[in-house]
Amino acid sequence: MLKQEIYTQKDSTPVKKRILFSLIIPVYNVERYVGICLDSIVSQLKEDIEVICVNDGSTDGSGVVLSNYCHYPNFIVISTENRGRGAARNIGIKAASGAYILFIDGDDFIDVNYLSDLRKLVEPYLENDDLDLILVGAKRFDDKKKIFLPDVPYYRTANYGAHGLCDQEVVYARVFEKFAPFFKIQRRRFLLQQNLFYDEGVRFEDVVPHVKALLSAKKILISDLASYYYRFNRAGSTMNSSYDIKKISDVFKFLLRVREVLKQMGLFSRFRQSYYIFFKNQVKFHLQKVKPSQRPYVLAFSKILLMLFVIVDSSSKHLSSQKIIVS
């Protein structure tokens, strides 16, 4: 069980309070933004909150900005060579000691009441320590126009059709949505037990652990809290960059990994049709960022790959009776 009180030694010397939240922040060349991110956090720091910043080999002044915050209690900076966001998040997970883990990107920021509102959500479940996952929403902040954008269903939890504690069926219906880490507050013990670490050396590293988390969680809380501010339309963002061959291959890598996860968990039969739809929608989405000259080849490869899936899956006795739609 988690204890929230401050323990003291026999000589009454205070002992560090049990950490409730570990905030993990991967930082790479966001010198202009990381100070804004950290300022939105430090005003909410309490004795049972730790901040772990992983400087992923930044070549700008991000490291200098981080050093200006090291005087805050429970503020940790880990510097590594550049290995990508997946590796940076994994480093943060291994260094974390909190009951719950939150991911915040170094160019985003949070509302002044975000952590206190999260505290209210988790406190009723601390005694039993069995709340695996909290799903929250977010708001988009247009970095070019410097305005908050109107709400869209993808960034809110309303499209789950439920609030509060829910069964897995509710989440199963939306398992292929909201991949970004900031949509999920995860119990650290659950994360470690389910091995929900991020794929390293690839882009789109957040898709596979997202799917595994939603399919593995036993107790899930859905909240309409949307106090995370995602910086949208930022110049220099990897999401806005055009796709090279490696980035194209990384799209197919995560599509294959999701399929592998579903099979390993014995859930592919259940999700087969929705996986095919997910596959096609992802190819359609990412195809927009591929160079026009490369699009016919990417599209042709995706169709061949999907057709191979259908052939293999149809040959399975327990799947062959299901209707397949690939067009």
Side-chain angles (χ1 to χ4, degrees):
M1 291 186 182
L2 297 175
K3 301 293 184 181
Q4 289 190 284
E5 62 267 23
I6 299 176
Y7 296 101
T8 57
Q9 297 175 340
K10 291 182 179 180
D11 62 359
S12 298
T13 302
V15 175
K16 185 178 180 180
K17 192 174 184 178
R18 183 76 176 268
I19 300 297
L20 178 61
F21 293 135
S22 292
L23 282 58
I24 298 175
I25 308 173
V27 175
Y28 178 70
N29 286 357
V30 285
E31 177 184 3
R32 290 177 54 192
Y33 306 102
V34 68
I36 298 172
C37 172
L38 297 178
D39 284 343
S40 73
I41 293 170
V42 296
S43 62
Q44 306 179 56
L45 286 183
K46 293 183 180 297
E47 196 175 19
D48 61 349
I49 296 174
E50 67 179 4
V51 181
I52 303 172
C53 297
V54 182
N55 184 11
D56 184 37
S58 295
T59 56
D60 65 356
S62 295
V64 176
V65 176
L66 293 177
S67 67
N68 293 331
Y69 292 81
C70 288
H71 63 280
Y72 286 100
N74 298 340
F75 194 97
I76 303 165
V77 176
I78 302 173
S79 296
T80 71
E81 60 184 10
N82 179 239
R83 293 169 52 193
R85 287 185 300 182
R89 291 193 183 110
N90 289 341
I91 291 170
I93 292 170
K94 293 173 183 176
S97 59
Y100 289 90
I101 286 180
L102 295 68
F103 293 103
I104 301 176
D105 284 346
D107 54 345
D108 295 338
F109 55 106
I110 60 175
D111 184 79
V112 293
N113 296 315
Y114 186 40
L115 297 181
S116 60
D117 289 340
L118 283 179
R119 184 184 298 274
K120 294 175 184 176
L121 287 178
V122 304
E123 280 182 340
Y125 306 98
L126 290 178
E127 184 175 355
N128 292 329
D129 188 25
D130 61 351
L131 182 62
D132 293 329
L133 193 62
I134 305 170
L135 301 177
V136 296
K139 293 179 181 177
R140 295 179 299 163
F141 178 79
D142 190 312
D143 191 53
K144 289 185 178 179
K145 297 180 180 179
K146 307 301 180 187
I147 59 172
F148 287 100
L149 296 175
D151 287 342
V152 293
Y154 180 85
Y155 289 92
R156 300 304 296 262
T157 54
N159 66 337
Y160 283 106
H163 287 94
L165 287 179
C166 66
D167 57 35
Q168 288 178 313
E169 295 299 321
V170 173
V171 176
Y172 277 7
R174 301 286 181 176
V175 71
F176 296 124
E177 298 181 15
K178 303 181 187 297
F179 303 119
F182 54 73
F183 288 123
K184 296 175 290 296
I185 315 302
Q186 300 176 79
R187 188 166 64 103
R188 184 170 64 93
R189 186 180 301 175
F190 161 73
L191 188 155
L192 295 175
Q193 287 173 343
Q194 298 300 325
N195 194 30
L196 300 177
F197 289 95
Y198 289 80
D199 290 339
E200 300 187 12
V202 294
R203 299 175 179 91
F204 318 112
E205 72 290 337
D206 48 4
V207 179
V208 173
H210 164 85
V211 172
K212 290 175 67 177
L214 266 64
L215 296 180
S216 303
K218 301 302 181 186
K219 183 174 281 190
I220 304 164
L221 178 69
I222 297 178
S223 170
D224 59 2
L225 183 64
S227 301
Y228 184 103
Y229 301 138
Y230 165 58
R231 195 178 294 272
F232 183 79
N233 213 14
R234 176 174 75 81
S237 170
T238 56
M239 292 300 294
N240 293 331
S241 59
S242 59
Y243 285 19
D244 54 18
I245 294 299
K246 185 181 186 308
K247 199 166 185 177
I248 295 171
S249 67
D250 285 345
V251 172
F252 288 105
K253 284 180 181 178
F254 83 71
L255 289 171
L256 289 168
R257 285 277 288 118
V258 168
R259 176 181 168 86
E260 177 187 346
V261 166
L262 292 173
K263 286 182 173 289
Q264 288 175 344
M265 299 183 72
L267 292 170
F268 185 74
S269 176
R270 177 171 189 160
F271 288 98
R272 182 177 64 148
Q273 194 60 63
S274 57
Y275 171 78
Y276 290 152
I277 295 171
F278 162 69
F279 183 102
K280 291 185 291 182
N281 287 342
Q282 287 296 310
V283 171
K284 181 179 179 180
F285 172 79
H286 291 285
L287 198 63
Q288 302 173 47
K289 300 188 179 183
V290 175
K291 294 178 181 178
S293 61
Q294 295 176 329
R295 289 174 188 171
Y297 302 102
V298 175
L299 188 59
F301 178 75
S302 68
K303 289 182 177 180
I304 292 171
L305 189 58
L306 188 57
M307 187 57 66
L308 287 173
F309 288 164
V310 171
I311 293 171
V312 171
D313 297 338
S314 296
S315 66
S316 176
K317 184 176 180 180
H318 67 284
L319 294 176
S320 58
S321 63
Q322 296 184 20
K323 184 179 180 181
I324 302 172
I325 302 172
V326 296
S327 59

